[in-house]
Amino acid sequence: MTVFRTLDQVDVKGKRILVRLDLNVPVENGIVTDATRIERAAPAITEIADKGGKVILLSHFGRPKGRDPKQSLKPVAAEVARIIKRRVDFAGDCIGEVAERAVAAMKPGDILCLENTRFHAGEEKNDPAFVAALARLGDIWVNDAFSAAHRAHASTEGLGHRLPAYAGRTMQAELEALTKALEHPKRPLAAIVGGAKISTKLDLLGNLLEKVDVLIIGGAMANTFLLAQGKKVGKSLVEADLVSTAREILSKAKDAKREIVLPVDVVVAEKFEVHAPSCVVDADKVGAADMILDIGPRSIEHVISVLARAKTLVWNGPFGAFEMEPFDTGTIEVAEAAAELTEAGNLVSVAGGGDTVAALNVAGVVDRLAYVSAAGGAFLEWLEGKTLPGVEVLRVK
């Protein structure tokens, strides 16, 4: 099993610990509106402080072009202080004299948040001079930002080549969950891939087909597969130019003896709006004016029976237009079943991706699955089998 260096292997007492978090959280009028990422980072911050480390927080925020007071991390630092119930000082820059003075004034157990790393062009360029300026502020680098680990930036990857590097607790939990799900899964391994477009998930489908026993396809991308099977999909969202690609995926799965699960019945409506008149039809009986907006009851039952015989589940993407009733039923019922199987100890369930987390929140099961990743792009790239620079630098060589 690949081993990553973690906080268990380092003595932080009296040392300056640069902790890379992902504090790129939604802020409206100076107020953080979703603090999930901060709440997940809290244990690593307090653990290092309690062990006598000087905790220096690094993060990007937004996409500023140079210094922009509207994209300052100051209000986010205040939210960190509120969540961990400790004082968090703030420095108006992340390198140079301002940052160096603030770090020099720290005592063991103190917590300091530095200004947005993206105020400097050197961050995204992974510029060696900028990396060196950051490295001067610390003795050890802890990466606790899995959601930014797919980027080779100065604070997410570059520092790992200049300072002793360790995974923070959130990063560690994420790597352990993902390794368990994809590298060393209990089988059968099932994957749910949903969402609107095959085009954005081609690499994902390719990589998963090599690893999973059953691939369950939902969301609008299932429509393209139904079309590839010669079924009519009416006015449903579909990628007509990818029908031949869908056919290839189906034939590859057949050759590799992988099971692909597609809807057998669907919920259709003529309008995409809340409580639009809808009905359930067989997947091969979709009318010319119909739009497929969710999976039907027989499909839900079939997916749940697949999960009942699986031991591991990886989930990315919803089944239907979950943002709108009654087209959230498929996603909610499958999520509920996955949660029950997980709680009974019969399923290791790992889910992630922006839409997926939103859908699981609608279903109210985020805390009932084995692991739900708050990382969007990084989670997807991991599932696609790509190497993540911010993770690679933590591997024990």
Side-chain angles (χ1 to χ4, degrees):
M1 193 143 161
T2 308
V3 185
F4 301 94
R5 291 183 294 272
T6 71
L7 287 172
D8 296 324
Q9 286 129 6
V10 61
D11 179 11
V12 297
K13 195 173 180 180
K15 297 196 177 80
R16 302 169 303 162
I17 316 295
L18 289 171
V19 183
R20 178 49 157 103
L21 301 178
D22 186 353
L23 299 177
N24 190 26
V25 295
V27 174
E28 282 171 32
N29 306 319
I31 307 291
V32 174
T33 55
D34 179 358
T36 311
R37 282 183 175 167
I38 301 174
E39 287 158 5
R40 288 196 169 186
I45 301 172
T46 52
E47 178 184 343
I48 296 166
D50 288 344
K51 288 178 174 172
K54 300 172 184 179
V55 186
I56 304 155
L57 306 180
L58 292 172
S59 179
H60 72 286
F61 183 69
R63 298 179 180 274
K65 298 281 170 265
R67 195 168 273 282
D68 176 0
K70 284 198 208 69
Q71 309 218 14
S72 170
L73 272 174
K74 198 168 186 180
V76 183
E79 182 67 8
V80 174
R82 192 188 69 75
I83 285 170
I84 65 173
K85 299 184 172 53
R86 303 188 186 197
R87 177 175 156 173
V88 175
D89 292 314
F90 184 76
D93 204 346
C94 61
I95 58 167
E97 199 184 331
V98 170
E100 284 167 22
R101 264 208 317 271
V103 170
M106 292 178 81
K107 294 188 285 299
D110 284 356
I111 302 163
L112 169 71
C113 180
L114 302 182
E115 185 55 283
N116 192 345
T117 53
R118 285 193 186 170
F119 281 0
H120 297 269
E123 162 72 339
E124 292 182 77
K125 289 182 182 145
N126 206 351
D127 173 42
F130 182 66
V131 176
L134 286 173
R136 273 202 290 280
L137 303 170
D139 305 304
I140 286 163
W141 176 65
V142 170
N143 191 358
D144 212 19
F146 180 81
S147 45
H150 57 312
R151 301 194 173 103
H153 292 173
S155 67
T156 61
E157 193 265 353
L159 279 170
H161 299 287
R162 298 291 301 245
L163 295 173
Y166 300 88
R169 293 305 184 199
T170 315
M171 174 75 87
Q172 182 184 348
E174 190 102 31
L175 294 176
E176 284 170 359
L178 294 182
T179 304
K180 202 168 166 185
L182 268 196
E183 311 302 318
H184 310 280
K186 280 188 182 158
R187 292 189 179 272
L189 165 61
I192 295 173
V193 180
K197 293 181 171 174
I198 297 178
S199 50
T200 57
K201 296 194 177 175
L202 275 176
D203 291 348
L204 173 62
L205 292 167
N207 186 46
L208 288 179
L209 259 190
E210 288 173 21
K211 299 194 168 184
V212 304
D213 303 296
V214 190
L215 183 56
I216 302 161
I217 297 176
M221 79 161 65
N223 304 341
T224 306
F225 281 90
L226 292 174
L227 201 58
Q229 289 181 327
K231 298 184 169 108
K232 293 187 167 62
V233 295
K235 290 187 174 162
S236 307
L237 186 61
V238 76
E239 288 176 288
D241 56 330
L242 286 175
V243 169
S244 60
T245 307
R247 264 192 214 113
E248 271 167 44
I249 292 170
L250 291 170
S251 98
K252 261 189 200 154
K254 197 175 172 189
D255 295 345
K257 299 196 168 32
R258 302 284 195 262
E259 186 185 345
I260 287 197
V261 174
L262 286 165
V264 288
D265 60 346
V266 291
V267 178
V268 297
E270 293 189 3
K271 289 195 179 85
F272 178 42
E273 50 192 48
V274 178
H275 300 303
S278 61
C279 63
V280 175
V281 298
D282 284 351
D284 51 5
K285 301 268 194 313
V286 176
D290 287 338
M291 274 188 272
I292 299 173
L293 294 172
D294 197 7
I295 56 174
R298 283 193 300 129
S299 300
I300 293 171
E301 247 171 68
H302 182 43
V303 170
I304 291 172
S305 73
V306 170
L307 297 189
R309 63 171 197 262
K311 289 280 174 258
T312 306
L313 168 67
V314 177
W315 187 343
N316 176 257
F319 279 96
F322 73 92
E323 316 86 345
M324 208 173 273
E325 292 181 352
F327 311 117
D328 53 357
T329 307
T331 303
I332 288 175
E333 291 197 11
V334 172
E336 186 61 44
E340 282 174 18
L341 288 163
T342 304
E343 287 171 333
N346 298 329
L347 186 70
V348 174
S349 50
V350 176
D355 277 356
T356 317
V357 177
L360 297 174
N361 272 320
V362 168
V365 301
V366 168
D367 300 330
R368 298 170 57 203
L369 299 184
Y371 192 82
V372 176
S373 170
F379 181 79
L380 206 53
E381 288 197 18
W382 179 284
L383 291 189
E384 287 166 1
K386 293 179 179 161
T387 51
L388 309 184
V391 169
E392 287 311 299
V393 78
L394 301 171
R395 281 186 198 275
V396 174
K397 300 291 185 285

